[in-house]
Amino acid sequence: MEEVSADTIWEGWAARALAKVGAADFLSNLPQLCLPLPRAQEEPLADVATFDGPGPWDRTMVEVDVEVPKASATDGEPARRQMLIFSTNDYLNLSAHPAVRGASSKASLLFGMGPRGPALISGHTEYHRRLENALAELHKKEDCCVTATGFSANTAFLAALGGVATHNAASRRPAAQEKIAVFSDSLNHPATVEGLRMSEHMGQTLVYSYGHRNMENLDELLSNCPVEKKVVITDSVFSMEGDIAPMHDLVQLRKKHGFLFVVDEAHSTLLWGRNGGGIGEHFGIEDQIDVIVGAMSKSIGCVGGFVTGSKKWCDLVRLLAAVTVAKKEVGAGKKCGTESPSSCLVVGSEEATIRASKHMLERGFHITTITPPVVASDACRLRITLTAAHTLGDLRRLVAALSECVPGLDCAGDPIT
């Protein structure tokens, strides 16, 4: 099988899009705010303490007090009660880590709070650049662009992707053959789905949904698509199913069809790979992934999103953000011991799922209820997320409570029971 050099082809298209709008000159003149350098004792990252295992601060994130809704409270029951949280995405409990809290406190005292302005005007500092460099190194990519949220990272990248279609077209709007064909796993995150809907509405992309993890279906769709520019985008870990994309199979299809390979590592960064580089590092295929989209609100334990890839792709993401700003303002370690930290228990109807959720609350467990439109009306589910702070005892209590409210749930052979 002859390998198609997707890297070279797509880099060329991205370069032409940048050149057509004069992005090189625009981006080179963007300011980078240089905040006053702190004294040695004030440096936020000085004396960062690490620990061999979970500490008492970890439990503060999973053992919390919640207000009991009046409708479910009984006479004499206190207004607040303790719950075990199985609904957080803070998988490694880093938001509560003493070193993270200490560095955040130092930084806020030194530099204040708030973004000061959009990143493309006055909100991007040398500290943001340090973060981008660290994320690029983590995922073995040339460059990185940080965003406000994981959702905006998805939409920013897909807007940039649409820009490749627009700025490589012969006229102002891409013709059918000049559009980009994007193939998306049917269970990709709603942020990806929304971004694709936006680019399709703009007349830049043609979106195809392939069966969840169904490589035969994807291969057939790719083979029958006459459009030259093809992209495959997939979550690495699917948050609603808790399973993993067939990465090696996707790499083989990339070699066969020459598509741009985009992976959302939101639920695998820091959890997978020897250095925390995600599913790509775990399977040793980082060099086969062209663009990685991620979120800092999961295992990293803070706020924000990012896009990593080549410098051309990251510049293109920045460019699309810059154009938007210009129009509006300028001119005017630890790991969970499961395949995935999240798993879903399909209950069935919305009514049954809400009833099960209420039962779990009464038993002292806060878990996430997933109902339409996120899932089908007959596939409503309870989503359970594990963190490094949960104990085996916590899981046994959880399973026992689930067995009481989910018909047909048999945990007799489960190793944790």
Side-chain angles (χ1 to χ4, degrees):
M1 183 187 300
E2 183 179 354
E3 182 174 344
V4 180
S5 179
D7 312 64
T8 303
I9 296 172
W10 276 99
E11 284 293 296
W13 284 328
R16 284 197 290 274
L18 285 167
K20 191 167 183 179
V21 293
D25 291 336
F26 182 85
L27 292 171
S28 65
N29 291 318
L30 289 177
Q32 181 165 304
L33 208 62
C34 296
L35 298 175
L37 292 176
R39 296 190 294 270
Q41 65 271 26
E42 296 176 325
E43 169 58 49
L45 297 179
D47 302 320
V48 173
T50 58
F51 305 90
D52 293 331
W57 53 85
D58 289 296
R59 292 299 291 184
T60 65
M61 303 308 295
V62 296
E63 288 182 337
V64 300
D65 288 339
V66 300
E67 293 184 357
V68 179
K70 292 182 179 180
S72 63
T74 59
D75 292 339
E77 187 175 8
R80 298 168 72 88
R81 61 181 295 185
Q82 191 174 75
M83 291 268 180
L84 265 177
I85 297 294
F86 279 93
S87 54
T88 178
N89 289 329
D90 186 12
Y91 301 129
L92 298 180
N93 306 112
L94 286 180
S95 66
H97 195 286
V100 175
R101 290 189 293 182
S104 299
S105 299
K106 284 184 179 180
S108 62
L109 288 172
L110 277 169
F111 308 121
M113 300 295 291
R116 293 181 175 82
L120 278 303
I121 297 180
S122 61
H124 192 271
T125 72
E126 59 189 274
Y127 287 93
H128 291 90
R129 187 65 247 173
R130 285 192 201 179
L131 173 61
E132 289 173 334
N133 290 341
L135 289 167
E137 182 180 359
L138 179 68
H139 289 291
K140 300 296 187 292
K141 293 289 178 277
E142 182 183 13
D143 200 2
C144 176
C145 176
V146 294
T147 61
T149 64
F151 187 95
S152 61
N154 272 279
T155 54
F157 168 71
L158 291 169
L161 187 67
V164 170
T166 298
H167 298 301
N168 279 273
S171 59
R172 294 185 62 183
R173 293 181 64 85
Q177 293 298 315
E178 294 174 318
K179 293 181 180 181
I180 296 174
V182 184
F183 301 81
S184 174
D185 189 288
S186 60
L187 295 184
N188 275 341
H189 192 275
T192 301
V193 175
E194 186 61 32
L196 289 172
R197 186 180 293 119
M198 172 190 70
S199 63
E200 191 171 34
H201 177 73
M202 295 290 290
Q204 299 167 321
T205 62
L206 300 169
V207 179
Y208 301 87
S209 177
Y210 62 90
H212 179 51
R213 303 178 76 252
N214 189 331
M215 296 297 96
E216 184 177 346
N217 181 210
L218 175 58
D219 189 18
E220 182 181 6
L221 289 171
L222 287 164
S223 298
N224 293 330
C225 179
V227 176
E228 181 182 13
K229 302 180 184 70
K230 297 182 178 70
V231 177
V232 171
I233 183 166
T234 181
D235 290 2
S236 59
V237 173
F238 295 89
S239 62
M240 291 297 109
E241 300 298 317
D243 54 3
I244 296 170
M247 302 300 287
H248 286 301
D249 293 338
L250 285 162
V251 166
Q252 290 306 309
L253 288 180
R254 177 182 181 269
K255 292 177 180 179
K256 177 180 179 180
H257 295 284
F259 56 72
L260 186 79
F261 190 19
V262 182
V263 177
D264 187 332
E265 292 266 31
H267 289 273
S268 59
T269 296
L270 296 191
L271 289 173
W272 286 81
R274 182 176 180 179
N275 300 300
I279 292 296
E281 183 187 23
H282 175 76
F283 287 113
I285 57 167
E286 296 158 300
D287 60 334
Q288 297 295 312
I289 300 174
D290 299 294
V291 177
I292 289 176
V293 179
M296 291 180 272
S297 56
K298 309 297 189 294
S299 297
I300 298 177
C302 57
V303 178
F306 60 90
V307 179
T308 65
S310 70
K311 189 177 187 306
K312 289 185 179 68
W313 275 110
C314 291
D315 278 349
L316 200 56
V317 171
R318 295 185 186 101
L319 168 64
L320 266 296
V323 169
T324 301
V325 171
K327 287 181 178 178
K328 293 183 178 180
E329 300 182 23
V330 177
K334 304 175 210 173
K335 290 182 173 60
C336 300
T338 60
E339 184 176 83
S340 165
S342 64
S343 59
C344 286
L345 182 62
V346 177
V347 178
S349 69
E350 185 172 359
E351 180 182 0
T353 305
I354 292 174
R355 188 166 56 247
S357 176
K358 287 181 178 179
H359 173 81
M360 295 303 291
L361 285 171
E362 291 168 359
R363 288 294 308 273
F365 296 96
H366 186 282
I367 57 182
T368 308
T369 305
I370 308 297
T371 59
V374 178
V375 295
S377 59
D378 60 349
C380 298
R381 60 197 66 189
L382 300 175
R383 181 172 181 263
I384 301 163
T385 57
L386 307 180
T387 78
H390 287 119
T391 66
L392 190 59
D394 295 336
L395 298 183
R396 286 180 175 139
R397 290 168 52 201
L398 175 71
V399 170
L402 287 168
S403 299
E404 298 169 354
C405 64
V406 181
L409 180 63
D410 181 11
C411 298
D414 196 291
I416 69 171
T417 56

